[in-house]
Amino acid sequence: MSKASTAVWKDARSRAERQVPECPPDQSEPQWAYLLFTRDCSFCDKTNIAKIDWYHRVRLCQKCSFSGKTMVSVQNAAKALPHIKNISDLLELLPYWTTSPNHPDKYYPIRAIEQLSVRYAAASAQGQDKLSEFKEKMLAQRKAIRESVAGFKEWEAGLSVADANRKIASAKLLALGYSETDIYSILHSTLVRSRTPLTEARWATVGPQLEALVKQANEHRLGRYRDTTIGGRKQFARERIQIYFDGRPGLEAIFRPTAEAVTRLFPGFKSVVEQPLDALVLPEHFDLAMEALPALLKEYADSKKRHIVRRMVEGGAENVPSPPTEEDLDKVFYATTIFFSKTSKLDMPICVDSVFERRLCWLFNVGLEEVDGTFRRLTFNSKASGAVGALLRCARLEYTTTVEDLDARDLRFHCLGCEGRERKLARSWRDCAHHAKEAKHCTENWELLNDEDASTVRALEASNLNDEVPRFYCNRCPFSWRTHWQFARLRPLGDLVEHLKME
């Protein structure tokens, strides 16, 4: 690349399909062509160097950039070039390069500093006026270089095949009517980032694949928008439903669906929630659905009660005819309605969080019962039910006494059918029901403890639960070396109670 080829390079640059930046004054045409169209490092034999240092008109490999032999930082310039005395003045006249926008260090080519040093000394020897003129010229050149860099970088960015492909693909997809948002989300696909130019022939193959990706991106975007919109509408409905629930406590509440379930199951709420996404839905749009809510809740609760009552008939309940009538539905709340759960490993009447939203503590484990809404795992126990009926007679309570009422009284009883020490055990009505299920003797005879004795028993029970001394084994757990440390060890009473609940 000699100076004689300047005219050739000018002519070639003018004929280029894509406009090439004009050669700046500080470069010759061959130098400019070499910088733009080759990818060689300006200081070594490394090739395929993509990045250009436009401030100093060089391409630098990683080694040459930071080896200290070709470039030097402002902090190390004086140490690297000790023979140049006025180096700080020289650096003010040269453009600098930084490795990144966040990197504060300024880098200068060592060769440029040395060349400028010679020219600076020559101007200084001619007098102060010449030196000032030289400085003004160099500062003007530095300013011109810095101003030209933005244009050169823009031209360099346009050389990227991937960038060109993205622009072509974006324009074609926009012309087909796709959303700019969806198009942007797929422009980083390998189909677009390929180094192969996106010609019309290649678009015939790639285009349908990109269209499929855009459609998929559109579905995902609309799905996210739909979830957000539907979620907001459901929140409006849940808040209104929960206010209604909170204002109507009581036994009926145990057969209510959750507020979330209401928005899914009841058509009035569902139709409002599933209106078109562009429709404006406000809390007052659920007014009609709220007016219909009481009747729908009653219908829902009655359907659940019918399943429970059928289980009572199957279990031999004496107070429910076969087939049961609508008047029998409220009997599910009676204390004599005793169920045991097949899901409890210990077959124990334990109280856990349930599908009834923790509103009422039943005598069975309902944690896994309402899988299909029919309570198939519940078994009505007529013997335990008869025993509870005997407890009500003993306490001179009505046969219609509910679970909630009996829990509130918190009475204690002795089983007169037991012998020896077991006869002296003071039991709650729930313990009595379980005892009746397991007992071999008649459990129709009970003795009610007076208020003073019952209070003493309840105080002892509470103190025993707080006793931290391990005194009890779980006689339900099989003993083996594998389970010994987990189950078959001595436990405090409180821990034992929690263990039985978990079992």
Side-chain angles (χ1 to χ4, degrees), residues 44-193:
C44 70
D45 56 358
K46 291 283 181 67
T47 59
N48 199 29
I49 310 301
K51 187 175 182 180
I52 298 176
D53 174 4
W54 292 104
Y55 292 102
H56 302 115
R57 321 301 196 204
V58 293
R59 291 182 189 262
L60 293 174
C61 65
Q62 186 77 9
K63 182 178 180 180
C64 291
S65 295
F66 302 105
S67 65
K69 296 180 180 179
T70 57
M71 303 289 289
V72 65
S73 66
V74 65
Q75 290 89 344
N76 298 327
K79 183 177 180 181
L81 301 168
H83 56 285
I84 301 177
K85 303 302 181 183
N86 53 345
I87 193 166
S88 59
D89 295 334
L90 298 179
L91 297 182
E92 291 293 327
L93 305 177
L94 288 174
Y96 60 84
W97 170 71
T98 57
T99 55
S100 72
N102 298 324
H103 200 292
D105 287 346
K106 301 176 182 179
Y107 286 86
Y108 301 85
I110 293 177
R111 185 170 58 186
I113 296 174
E114 292 176 335
Q115 291 173 351
L116 180 61
S117 174
V118 174
R119 296 172 61 192
Y120 188 92
S124 180
Q126 296 178 21
Q128 189 63 33
D129 293 341
K130 285 290 184 180
L131 180 60
S132 299
E133 182 182 345
F134 176 75
K135 286 183 178 181
E136 290 177 3
K137 178 182 177 181
M138 293 304 300
L139 288 173
Q141 182 176 317
R142 170 183 167 174
K143 181 180 179 181
I145 289 174
R146 294 186 65 83
E147 290 175 350
S148 67
V149 164
F152 295 150
K153 285 185 175 180
E154 183 178 352
W155 177 84
E156 182 184 24
L159 287 179
S160 169
V161 174
D163 287 343
N165 288 349
R166 278 193 282 269
K167 291 178 181 178
I168 294 171
S170 179
K172 288 184 175 293
L173 291 171
L174 280 172
L176 292 173
Y178 294 106
S179 165
E180 186 174 355
T181 302
D182 299 327
I183 294 172
Y184 180 78
S185 67
I186 61 98
L187 289 182
H188 294 288
S189 165
T190 54
L191 297 172
V192 179
R193 289 190 293 108

